[in-house]
Amino acid sequence: MSCATQLLRHSRKLRSAQNLLEVESVCSARYFSKDASTFIRRDDMPSLRPSRLLGKKESSFRLIPARTFKVPVNSASNIAHFRQPTGLGFNRASAASVRHFSSSDLPPHQPLGMPSLSPTMTEGNIARWLKKEGDKLSPGEVLCEVETDKATVEMECMEEGYLAKIIHGDGSKEIKVGEIIAIMVEDEADIPKFKDYQASSPAPAETKAPAPSEPAPPKKEESEPVKAPEPKPVKSEDASQKGDRIFASPLARKLAEDNKVPLSSLKGTGLDGRIVKADVEDYLASATKGAPVKDMAPSADLNYADLTVSQIRKITAARLLQSKQTIPHYYLTVDTRVDNLMKLRAELNALQEASGGKRISVNDLVIKAAALALRKVPQCNSSWMNDFIRQYHNVNINVAVQTDHGLFVPVVKDADKKGLSAIAEEVKVLAQKAKENSLKPQDYEGGTFTVSNLGGPFGIKQFCAIVNPPQCAILAVGSAEKRVIPGKGPDQFDFGSFMSVTLSCDHRVIDGAIGAEWLKAFKGYIESPQSMLL
């Protein structure tokens, strides 16, 4: 038995304190606690004391009329209204709660945030709203068109209600995923109350203070606001400089010299303040990120126009830059004779026209040949995953399509299992969707290999494409041209059509011999196209 219990039992003055604490401890805690709901006012506390404190545990209480309170719950921006039950304490069963999503006196509403419409999406643009303020919404109806990092995708409504307020209108750019773009209400009469509504910016997660476990006076918290931790000064001059000498690793010195970075402006984080490679890289990254691009002063006779960069072009630029900087590219080029291919294409198109099907292009035959070569050499149908190489069992071919909105790469899934007619039909549908900027995520996600053809449309003889991560290879297809080749006899010659193709490979996944083996298989299918029909 504890000392406190013995005092309460044997002391004549403190004998009744146990019954008193059973009541007043709860009242005091709810009054002084910042996070607890204030169901009892301090001036009401004497009226709640038991009329008889000695001998009996049962006590009578004076009931207080029911009152309505605003009780903060969880987030500072969310307020729940509770009706206080009669008597002492909080009865959850009898408390009626109505959830609100604003600290102001607004009716119940639901904020609509920017959705994540692709796995790599971090922000998006509002292309246009298909609904206006005051319109009734039903599940499945399209609210707006969102421009993601891949394509323009329709955002559908998930619940029934009314569109009360549009926060970000047509053409709004760089909206973070989760940021509120509109407000929806259930009652049509509540729409005018959101005319001047403004969404508050979400508080950063690191500044959100946890709820105190013990009651603390409010004045103390107001007088001592939470301060951000001050960064500790790094003694780089004392650590990395002894006299006039600056201690740095040879690689850091070389990197700083190549980028014309003075070592005296760097802070060493290595042993004893030694400047290492990471310090130079961090300095270059911060300088590049923080320094705005300086506008070139145009000459008097120079006319120009600044074009707006779309979200798709921004992401494409970032991905291509990342690919060239992080993927060790190498290139293999081979010339393939396409006379037999063109002859087979003419025969197949005659059959297609007779049956009312789509014409088969050279690119369709290239896609089929690439898919079959990937099935024969599966090492090229893989991805680098840092700790392992992932080899895919599905052969999904992305096809590069250039449009006015940017570069799109819709995917033909299981191309090795489809016929030429099915591939031709699917490619034409996907290309039309890309030009109309109406591709869905399932139309371009899941590719394992990419084909880019600049020969047929533009007559480019040969080029080297950039690997599309996380894939490990991309095939660049040039145009076909006629060449003079040696004939059967010593003084004879012949003519043949040749097409140059270049395979760009990720050397982390595909060794040179493996890339050459894939090109050999691809060339065999192109020069003997009847084998693709087997």
Side-chain angles (χ1 to χ4, degrees):
M1 187 180 295
S2 63
C3 296
T5 307
Q6 293 180 4
L7 287 174
L8 290 175
R9 287 192 175 184
H10 297 288
S11 175
R12 183 175 300 177
K13 292 184 177 180
L14 299 177
R15 187 176 299 169
S16 61
Q18 184 175 357
N19 295 331
L20 179 62
L21 289 174
E22 288 179 359
V23 178
E24 289 204 0
S25 60
V26 178
C27 302
S28 301
R30 291 201 176 275
Y31 178 78
F32 289 106
S33 175
K34 178 182 179 182
D35 293 331
S37 56
T38 313
F39 291 104
I40 304 172
R41 296 178 300 182
R42 189 170 188 178
D43 53 357
D44 291 333
M45 290 173 61
S47 62
L48 293 175
R49 293 178 180 175
S51 58
R52 292 172 295 173
L53 295 176
L54 298 175
K56 296 183 180 180
K57 292 185 178 179
E58 296 181 358
S59 304
S60 59
F61 296 88
R62 182 172 64 86
L63 301 181
I64 305 174
R67 299 192 304 272
T68 301
F69 297 88
K70 287 185 179 180
V71 183
V73 292
N74 298 334
S75 174
S77 62
N78 297 338
I79 298 294
H81 289 253
F82 294 91
R83 184 170 178 80
Q84 178 198 358
T86 58
L88 181 63
F90 174 68
N91 185 3
R92 293 186 180 183
S94 60
S97 64
V98 181
R99 182 79 176 187
H100 288 254
F101 295 89
S102 173
S103 58
S104 59
D105 295 331
L106 291 174
H109 59 280
Q110 179 181 351
L112 303 178
M114 170 64 73
S116 178
L117 299 174
S118 70
T120 57
M121 178 178 173
T122 57
E123 60 182 24
N125 303 336
I126 301 293
R128 64 188 180 106
W129 283 90
L130 302 180
K131 295 288 184 179
K132 60 180 183 295
E133 294 180 359
D135 286 355
K136 186 177 180 179
L137 307 177
S138 299
E141 290 185 343
V142 180
L143 280 174
C144 62
E145 293 179 352
V146 179
E147 185 181 347
T148 70
D149 56 343
K150 302 279 189 182
T152 300
V153 184
E154 294 176 344
M155 176 181 171
E156 295 182 353
C157 182
M158 304 301 294
E159 298 181 10
E160 187 175 356
Y162 294 88
L163 186 60
K165 181 70 176 179
I166 296 177
I167 307 299
H168 295 282
D170 295 349
S172 300
K173 297 184 179 296
E174 298 180 357
I175 305 171
K176 300 294 183 182
V177 170
E179 186 175 344
I180 298 176
I181 61 175
I183 298 294
M184 188 176 74
V185 295
E186 297 180 0
D187 192 355
E188 186 176 7
D190 296 333
I191 296 177
K193 300 178 182 179
F194 291 88
K195 182 179 180 181
D196 299 326
Y197 178 85
Q198 293 183 352
S200 57
S201 57
E206 55 269 13
T207 59
K208 185 177 180 180
S213 58
E214 298 180 359
K219 292 184 179 180
K220 186 176 181 179
E221 294 188 3
E222 293 177 0
S223 60
E224 297 180 7
V226 179
K227 295 182 179 179
E230 298 180 357
K232 296 181 180 180
V234 180
K235 298 180 180 180
S236 59
E237 296 181 358
D238 299 338
S240 61
Q241 298 184 20
K242 294 182 179 180
D244 295 332
R245 183 179 176 185
I246 300 177
F247 292 90
S249 66
L251 185 57
R253 287 182 180 274
K254 180 69 168 59
L255 187 61
E257 182 180 352
D258 293 343
N259 292 275
K260 298 180 180 180
V261 176
L263 292 176
S264 58
S265 62
L266 301 177
K267 295 181 179 181
T269 59
L271 184 63
D272 295 332
R274 182 184 180 93
I275 298 174
V276 294
K277 176 187 175 184
D279 300 327
V280 184
E281 291 177 343
D282 292 343
Y283 178 86
L284 293 173
S286 60
T288 304
K289 185 177 180 180
V293 180
K294 296 182 179 179
D295 295 333
M296 296 180 59
S299 58
D301 56 346
L302 183 62
N303 295 325
Y304 66 96
D306 295 330
L307 304 179
T308 304
V309 180
S310 65
Q311 187 73 8
I312 296 173
R313 185 166 293 277
K314 261 187 201 176
I315 299 300
T316 302
R319 297 273 174 78
L320 294 178
L321 179 63
Q322 178 189 8
S323 176
K324 288 295 288 184
Q325 289 180 336
T326 60
I327 295 179
H329 286 63
Y330 74 92
Y331 311 96
L332 300 174
T333 303
V334 68
D335 292 336
T336 59
R337 188 169 182 176
V338 293
D339 294 293
N340 294 333
L341 185 78
M342 302 302 289
K343 182 179 179 181
L344 176 64
R345 175 175 173 259
E347 295 175 356
L348 293 176
N349 281 335
L351 296 175
Q352 287 290 97
E353 291 175 359
S355 61
K358 299 288 184 181
R359 289 179 59 85
I360 297 172
S361 66
V362 175
N363 201 47
D364 299 331
L365 292 163
V366 168
I367 293 171
K368 181 66 176 180
L372 294 176
L374 287 172
R375 194 167 65 182
K376 185 176 287 188
V377 187
Q379 295 93 326
C380 296
N381 195 42
S382 307
S383 292
W384 176 258
M385 308 300 291
N386 291 327
D387 296 330
F388 57 91
I389 295 175
R390 176 171 294 165
Q391 191 172 115
Y392 301 102
H393 301 300
N394 302 88
V395 180
N396 301 334
I397 306 293
N398 287 103
V399 183
V401 178
Q402 182 64 42
T403 69
D404 296 336
H405 307 284
L407 180 65
F408 294 90
V409 280
V411 61
V412 179
K413 295 185 178 179
D414 296 322
D416 59 322
K417 301 175 183 178
K418 293 180 179 178
L420 289 170
S421 177
I423 292 175
E425 181 74 26
E426 190 169 347
V427 168
K428 286 178 175 59
V429 171
L430 291 173
Q432 186 62 31
K433 283 186 176 181
K435 292 176 181 178
E436 295 173 355
N437 201 16
S438 61
L439 287 173
K440 304 292 184 183
Q442 60 268 22
D443 295 332
Y444 51 77
E445 291 178 354
T448 60
F449 188 89
T450 300
V451 172
S452 178
N453 189 345
L454 294 179
F458 305 103
I460 301 300
K461 181 179 178 181
Q462 187 265 338
F463 69 102
C464 298
I466 301 174
V467 174
N468 181 23
Q471 300 171 12
C472 66
I474 182 172
L475 183 68
V477 182
S479 62
E481 62 176 3
K482 283 199 172 187
R483 301 178 187 173
V484 179
I485 56 176
K488 295 181 180 180
D491 297 330
Q492 295 179 350
F493 60 90
D494 199 358
F495 294 95
S497 297
F498 289 84
M499 179 179 68
S500 295
V501 294
T502 301
L503 182 68
S504 304
C505 303
D506 183 350
H507 213 321
R508 299 173 299 180
V509 182
I510 305 175
D511 295 331
I514 299 297
E517 185 180 350
W518 185 91
L519 275 178
K520 181 181 178 181
F522 174 80
K523 181 178 179 179
Y525 285 119
I526 293 295
E527 294 185 347
S528 301
Q530 292 84 357
S531 60
M532 291 191 289
L533 306 179
L534 299 177

